[in-house]
Amino acid sequence: EDAAIEESEESLPEIQEEAWTEEETEKETEEENGVDVSENLAQTGNDEELPEENKAAAISNEYEYCTLEDGTVEITQYKGSEASVTIPSKIEGKEVSIIGELAFASNEEIESVTIPNTVTKTQYASFISCKNLKNVYFQKNSKLSALGGATFQFCSSLENIEIPEGNIEIGQGRIEKYEYTLPDGSVQVNETLTKTGYVFDSCTGLKNIVIPEGVVDIKGRTFGECENLTQVTLPLSLRKVEYGAFIRCTGLKNIFL
């Protein structure tokens, strides 16, 4: 029996330090293990029933990620197919701090997502066009400081989201650099702030939204074309509402301060 256990442990694929591609994951699973660990995790419905090494392998199989300079992790792609997703607070022992650009884009399986309190920001369009996403939850004591531009744009089924309190930048853009070679051969670098706003643009399922205390700015088209939005609560900390923030919100009836 001990020999069988030892053989089984040896057959498990070694956890990779870098992100796996889907093809590599399938190959490792089929050739070395014969069992899809992530599938087992979904079937049990309780990751407590799996050994730690199996849980780690399942998480690695579902997420591609990169390690940042501060030692934390940015999720670059979600490859799972669950309807209810709880993003891990750690991958390979490293804290998840950023949900990357387009990481969950156009995933039509997800209906609810829980974002861990370790996440400080979502990048541009991280959940764009998740058409069946209804509920977004943030864990208590969230460290969230920014929702990137177009984070939930075109999530037409989104009905429920409670943004954590704090000085959160809703619709954070990014600095893009452009290099130009001048006639004298020198190189000039220009920086432009792009991809701001549009966080909830075209979220036609939204009916009520509370902007939490601490938010000072609502950027352009943050709630553009949310035609079923009827009620908005604004914080006392708010200092600026940019052009078109609520453009074409044809059902908007009540704004509370």
Side-chain angles (χ1 to χ4, degrees):
E1 182 178 353
D2 293 340
I5 294 174
E6 181 177 353
E7 181 180 355
S8 175
E9 290 178 346
E10 290 178 354
S11 67
L12 286 173
E14 183 179 353
I15 297 172
Q16 303 295 310
E17 293 183 0
E18 298 181 356
W20 288 354
T21 64
E22 185 174 2
E23 291 77 15
E24 289 171 335
T25 300
E26 291 176 353
K27 184 176 179 180
E28 290 284 342
T29 302
E30 293 173 1
E31 294 182 0
E32 296 188 21
N33 199 16
V35 177
D36 189 335
V37 179
S38 60
E39 183 178 346
N40 287 349
L41 181 62
Q43 289 175 350
T44 62
N46 183 358
D47 58 9
E48 295 293 336
E49 298 178 16
L50 290 176
E52 287 299 322
E53 63 268 24
N54 288 35
K55 289 191 287 183
I59 290 173
S60 296
N61 289 346
E62 289 188 338
Y63 296 93
E64 289 186 359
Y65 63 92
C66 63
T67 302
L68 305 175
E69 291 183 357
D70 63 0
T72 63
V73 162
E74 175 180 339
I75 292 174
T76 57
Q77 185 181 3
Y78 172 70
K79 300 183 294 181
S81 58
E82 299 298 313
S84 179
V85 175
T86 298
I87 298 173
S89 59
K90 290 185 178 181
I91 297 179
E92 304 285 358
K94 300 173 183 177
E95 192 171 279
V96 175
S97 63
I98 296 176
I99 300 175
E101 184 169 318
L102 301 171
F104 290 80
S106 301
N107 185 311
E108 297 187 2
E109 304 296 328
I110 298 176
E111 296 179 6
S112 72
V113 62
T114 300
I115 298 174
N117 55 18
T118 57
V119 169
T120 59
K121 67 171 65 176
T122 63
Q123 301 282 40
Y124 173 75
S126 52
F127 292 92
I128 194 171
S129 295
C130 290
K131 295 182 179 179
N132 293 310
L133 179 61
K134 296 179 181 179
N135 301 296
V136 176
Y137 305 105
F138 291 90
Q139 289 182 340
K140 291 182 178 180
N141 303 315
S142 175
K143 297 178 182 177
L144 188 71
S145 63
L147 291 173
T151 290
F152 298 105
Q153 188 178 26
F154 304 128
C155 292
S156 54
S157 297
L158 184 62
E159 297 176 352
N160 177 48
I161 180 170
E162 186 173 339
I163 304 171
E165 287 192 0
N167 186 15
I168 298 170
E169 186 174 357
I170 299 177
Q172 184 184 61
R174 68 181 186 187
I175 300 294
E176 294 188 352
K177 296 182 179 180
Y178 301 90
E179 294 186 355
Y180 302 91
T181 302
L182 301 177
D184 62 2
S186 63
V187 176
Q188 179 176 328
V189 179
N190 289 343
E191 296 183 348
T192 304
L193 182 65
T194 66
K195 299 181 178 178
T196 64
Y198 289 81
V199 177
F200 299 100
D201 185 78
S202 300
C203 289
T204 53
L206 270 183
K207 296 180 180 179
N208 177 31
I209 190 74
V210 177
I211 308 297
E213 283 296 333
V215 173
V216 298
D217 179 17
I218 300 177
K219 291 181 169 55
R221 287 196 68 106
T222 293
F223 296 97
E225 299 193 49
C226 291
E227 58 189 31
N228 293 309
L229 184 65
T230 60
Q231 181 172 302
V232 175
T233 302
L234 302 176
L236 295 176
S237 58
L238 188 65
R239 295 293 178 267
K240 181 169 64 173
V241 177
E242 295 187 11
Y243 178 79
F246 294 92
I247 193 170
R248 298 193 183 96
C249 290
T250 53
L252 186 57
K253 297 178 180 178
N254 300 305
I255 298 178
F256 300 103
L257 294 173

